[in-house]
Amino acid sequence: MRAIAQRVHLHTSRLYRSLIRAGLTCRSDRFFDTLAITVPGGSDSVMAAAVREGYNLRRLDNQTIGISLDETTTEADLQALARILNVELVEGDVEPQLSQGSCRNDTILTQEVFHRYRSETEMMRYLRRLSEMDIALDRAMIPLGSCTMKLNAASELTPVTWPQFNAIHPLAPADQCQGYRKMIDQLEAMLCEVTGYDAVSLQPNAGSQGEYAGLLAIKAYHESRGEHDRDICLIPSSAHGTNPASAQMANMQVVVVKCDDHGNVDLDDLDQKIATYGQRVAAIMITYPSTHGVFEAGVTAVCEKIHAVGGQVYIDGANLNALVGVAKPGHFGGDVSHLNLHKTFCIPHGGGGPGVGPVGVRAHLAPFLPRDGVNPERVGPMIAAAPFGSAGILPISWMYIQMMGGAGLRRATQVAILSANYIAHRLKAYYPILYTGNRGLVAHECILDTRPMEKDGHVGVDDIAKRLIDYGFHAPTMSFPVGGTLMIEPTESESLAELDRFCRAMILIHGEYVQVRDGVWPADNNPLHNAPHTLDSILAEETQLAYPRRLALCPDPEASTAVKYIPPVGRIDNVYGDRNLVCACPPVSNYESVEETELTPAMVP
Ligand SMILES: *Cc1c(COP(=O)(O)O)cnc(C)c1O
């Protein structure tokens, strides 16, 4: 890495020397890899000359251009840049422009892991060992509710690896991105068709950013009509945490609307809040189907009530996996929604890769979408640095929609809803389903109420989640949106066999709970309390289990022990760290030798 950095800097120094020798000036003589060069002939002619040679430079102003070099820069690149700038390239080695004093000289990457694997064989096995420790989608279903952990098909991901998509700069000139534009336009049109909205911006990089962009559009719309006092955002108590956070960022005041016993928006409370705030209501943010996993029968009534006082309806579309091809938020009352392409539309998102949270709006809000330099009517503030956000991963969603087609998308929604109802139906005798619609059905996910088990058996939601690991499953969503419960979303990607394997695990776990409740196993020595079981915990001499080792490690009698997932770590106390803050900063004494005047704020622990 040091060699790479030195090489990049020497290339840049050589270009710099060549420019100075030719009488050009740079903004600074201190640089690493980037030069800002004053070009007497004007930036535009230099930029044009660069494009003719196959390079994009950065235009800083009329007279200044920016050039960055990196580890892919070759001698031929330097020669071409010299030609473009009309200078003679200095031959041979030059001195680095950065003085030794400004370079880092301490040792880096000293941790053993950076030095232990010195052959490809070793590296390959290291990576394999790391993946062995994960419960990922290549091993079992990930039933995380509200997360839509569906298949990310290989054929959807393949185009992302093509240089035509991944070797282009996000800010490349428009005439070099015609293909991208075509894909973006088509994807926007397909998402309009799916949602029933008139315009979609792909700029937001996350669902939460889509919320922010949508609320800014609502605000700008009100202001364009002279309604500057609309500052209230109504949000039902079941909302995803990002909703109130986004409303606050958009400078709105959050007013919480209650939910009734069935988990639906409490219409009486809504009426009261509307009566209290009237013309101050800017918007309501609702999720449909609700975060409780239910299609709320009153959704159109909610939308009408808000519209009647001049407010706008934001429908959180992160649960679109229950709607695609079946219902359109833009048609049943929404003015604006975000979608999560990294949920419903197959972009991978476990582990926190880039996301896309497009925001869709009805026509009256379209002018207030984030500006992107391509749609001249959009004049809202940019909410990401690049006009089309994480454009490099859009081929995934484009492929998904194209390959599925309208009928396929509807079928996926139907199967996702069917799968969730199948699980709810099979498990409801063991775990009460917290919320259902008026026909006893759920949407694409369901909430299992495990709170009674805590009360009479001291088996908590954590115990069940950890025990699922012994059965080879990733835990469902815990304690969201209701504390002490599990929310399960199977998606359309799971086969009946996998759904059955999951249900069997949950039913067996319930059986274990019964044994704890009935005193067969002690409350502090049972498979649930001790889960997940590592090999170490089983093999240790001092381990005294009140139950058979086989039950601890391989509890599902129908599952093969040959491919058993073995948890690499036992249980930790999840919230201990949150409640017992430990400062990892170096102690103040470390700074004793430093003169007091040299202490910068960043150094003060
Ligand atoms: C996931 C989710 C969000 C937030 O999306 P991010 O991309 O994580 O910012 C918002 N609302 C709901 C209902 C969600 O499930």
Side-chain angles (χ1 to χ4, degrees), residues 189-517:
M190 292 189 284
L191 294 176
C192 282
E193 173 68 24
V194 163
T195 56
Y197 286 115
D198 300 307
V200 164
S201 166
L202 292 168
Q203 192 175 111
N205 284 309
S208 43
Q209 240 185 38
E211 292 171 28
Y212 180 58
L215 291 173
L216 288 185
I218 288 176
K219 234 173 156 227
Y221 167 75
H222 287 316
E223 277 163 15
S224 76
R225 294 154 45 95
E227 303 196 348
H228 298 278
D229 296 336
R230 292 194 182 269
D231 62 341
I232 300 287
C233 188
L234 300 172
I235 300 183
S237 57
S238 61
H240 194 273
T242 50
N243 290 186
S246 300
Q248 295 226 325
M249 280 184 62
N251 232 341
M252 293 184 185
Q253 249 175 281
V254 174
V255 172
V256 176
V257 181
K258 285 187 202 145
C259 286
D260 64 19
D261 293 343
H262 305 290
N264 300 324
V265 175
D266 181 333
L267 293 180
D268 292 335
D269 191 49
L270 178 65
D271 285 338
Q272 254 176 39
K273 298 280 153 69
I274 289 175
T276 308
Y277 296 104
Q279 305 297 308
R280 279 184 63 195
V281 174
I284 190 168
M285 289 184 93
I286 53 173
T287 306
Y288 189 79
S290 77
T291 308
H292 288 154
V294 173
F295 290 108
E296 292 197 44
V299 66
T300 48
V302 170
C303 299
E304 280 161 14
K305 284 174 193 289
I306 298 297
H307 285 145
V309 288
Q312 297 283 293
V313 176
Y314 188 105
I315 297 184
D316 181 327
N319 288 348
L320 213 73
N321 215 43
L323 293 185
V324 180
V326 173
K328 303 183 180 190
H331 287 181
F332 60 76
D335 298 293
V336 46
S337 292
H338 75 269
L339 318 179
N340 278 20
L341 299 193
H342 48 289
K343 289 179 180 169
T344 316
F345 296 92
C346 297
I347 292 174
H349 60 129
V356 185
V359 57
V361 294
R362 289 181 46 214
H364 64 286
L365 293 176
F368 308 105
L369 285 175
R371 85 189 55 168
D372 56 21
V374 171
N375 295 287
E377 72 285 4
R378 297 182 184 174
V379 297
M382 278 187 82
I383 52 124
F388 297 98
S390 312
I393 49 176
L394 295 178
I396 302 170
S397 299
W398 188 95
M399 285 289 287
Y400 174 65
I401 298 175
Q402 288 287 332
M403 292 195 300
M404 294 292 277
L409 289 172
R410 175 179 294 134
R411 177 100 180 130
T413 301
Q414 290 167 337
V415 174
I417 294 173
L418 180 63
S419 299
N421 278 285
Y422 179 77
I423 288 181
H425 186 76
R426 280 206 59 190
L427 295 183
K428 70 183 174 196
Y430 307 90
Y431 305 88
I433 307 302
L434 190 55
Y435 297 116
T436 55
N438 47 18
R439 281 195 248 162
L441 297 173
V442 296
H444 63 310
E445 59 193 1
C446 59
I447 300 178
L448 306 189
D449 194 355
T450 51
R451 291 170 300 184
M453 300 163 73
E454 175 99 66
K455 257 187 230 131
D456 66 8
H458 306 291
V459 169
V461 69
D462 284 31
D463 301 318
I464 299 170
K466 306 287 181 195
R467 184 60 172 154
L468 271 170
I469 300 173
D470 285 335
Y471 283 86
F473 285 101
H474 192 289
T477 294
M478 277 167 52
S479 290
F480 172 84
V482 181
T485 66
L486 289 174
M487 182 157 63
I488 295 164
E489 179 181 3
T491 82
E492 71 280 12
S493 304
E494 299 304 334
S495 65
L496 184 57
E498 182 70 354
L499 297 182
D500 280 337
R501 193 172 74 90
F502 179 75
C503 289
R504 197 166 66 237
M506 289 300 290
I507 292 168
L508 288 169
I509 287 174
H510 186 270
E512 293 170 0
Y513 144 76
V514 169
Q515 306 233 54
V516 180
R517 184 196 63 195

Side-chain angles (χ1 to χ4, degrees), residues 17-327:
R17 289 267 146 233
S18 312
L19 297 169
I20 299 301
R21 192 176 67 181
L24 291 172
T25 49
C26 293
R27 268 196 200 160
S28 172
D29 59 358
R30 296 286 197 99
F31 52 80
F32 169 57
D33 62 353
T34 300
L35 300 174
I37 307 157
T38 308
V39 281
S43 301
D44 291 335
S45 67
V46 177
M47 300 273 291
V51 169
R52 282 195 296 275
E53 292 264 4
Y55 295 84
N56 287 320
L57 305 182
R58 180 168 182 192
R59 187 184 196 286
L60 293 168
D61 60 39
N62 282 342
Q63 296 286 316
T64 321
I65 52 142
I67 295 182
S68 287
L69 306 183
D70 64 23
E71 66 268 37
T72 67
T73 303
T74 62
E75 175 73 19
D77 292 326
L78 289 175
Q79 295 287 357
L81 288 169
R83 266 199 310 279
I84 292 162
L85 292 160
N86 211 6
V87 301
E88 192 84 30
L89 195 62
V90 172
E91 286 304 323
D93 293 340
V94 297
E95 286 292 302
Q97 190 68 17
L98 281 179
S99 65
Q100 268 305 315
S102 50
C103 288
R104 200 178 153 172
N105 286 313
D106 57 341
T107 50
I108 58 167
L109 304 180
T110 52
Q111 292 85 348
E112 215 196 327
V113 69
F114 294 113
H115 303 274
R116 200 185 292 156
Y117 310 107
R118 291 300 198 183
S119 68
E120 184 169 342
T121 313
E122 281 293 324
M123 189 68 192
M124 168 184 72
R125 290 176 188 156
Y126 169 60
L127 294 176
R128 171 63 192 251
R129 277 200 296 278
L130 287 182
S131 75
E132 276 299 302
M133 291 194 249
D134 287 342
I135 303 188
L137 212 62
D138 60 356
R139 200 192 281 274
M141 126 191 208
I142 299 183
L144 281 170
S146 204
C147 289
T148 313
M149 303 301 288
K150 61 160 76 172
L151 172 73
N152 317 123
S155 46
E156 292 154 13
L157 297 170
T158 302
V160 174
T161 67
W162 296 342
Q164 290 91 333
F165 284 113
N166 66 29
I168 192 155
H169 194 281
L171 302 176
D175 64 347
Q176 294 175 26
C177 318
Q178 301 287 311
Y180 246 107
R181 278 300 317 159
K182 197 167 169 184
M183 178 190 61
I184 286 168
D185 288 345
Q186 289 177 357
L187 187 55
E188 285 183 1
M190 292 189 284
L191 294 176
C192 282
E193 173 68 24
V194 163
T195 56
Y197 286 115
D198 300 307
V200 164
S201 166
L202 292 168
Q203 192 175 111
N205 284 309
S208 43
Q209 240 185 38
E211 292 171 28
Y212 180 58
L215 291 173
L216 288 185
I218 288 176
K219 234 173 156 227
Y221 167 75
H222 287 316
E223 277 163 15
S224 76
R225 294 154 45 95
E227 303 196 348
H228 298 278
D229 296 336
R230 292 194 182 269
D231 62 341
I232 300 287
C233 188
L234 300 172
I235 300 183
S237 57
S238 61
H240 194 273
T242 50
N243 290 186
S246 300
Q248 295 226 325
M249 280 184 62
N251 232 341
M252 293 184 185
Q253 249 175 281
V254 174
V255 172
V256 176
V257 181
K258 285 187 202 145
C259 286
D260 64 19
D261 293 343
H262 305 290
N264 300 324
V265 175
D266 181 333
L267 293 180
D268 292 335
D269 191 49
L270 178 65
D271 285 338
Q272 254 176 39
K273 298 280 153 69
I274 289 175
T276 308
Y277 296 104
Q279 305 297 308
R280 279 184 63 195
V281 174
I284 190 168
M285 289 184 93
I286 53 173
T287 306
Y288 189 79
S290 77
T291 308
H292 288 154
V294 173
F295 290 108
E296 292 197 44
V299 66
T300 48
V302 170
C303 299
E304 280 161 14
K305 284 174 193 289
I306 298 297
H307 285 145
V309 288
Q312 297 283 293
V313 176
Y314 188 105
I315 297 184
D316 181 327
N319 288 348
L320 213 73
N321 215 43
L323 293 185
V324 180
V326 173

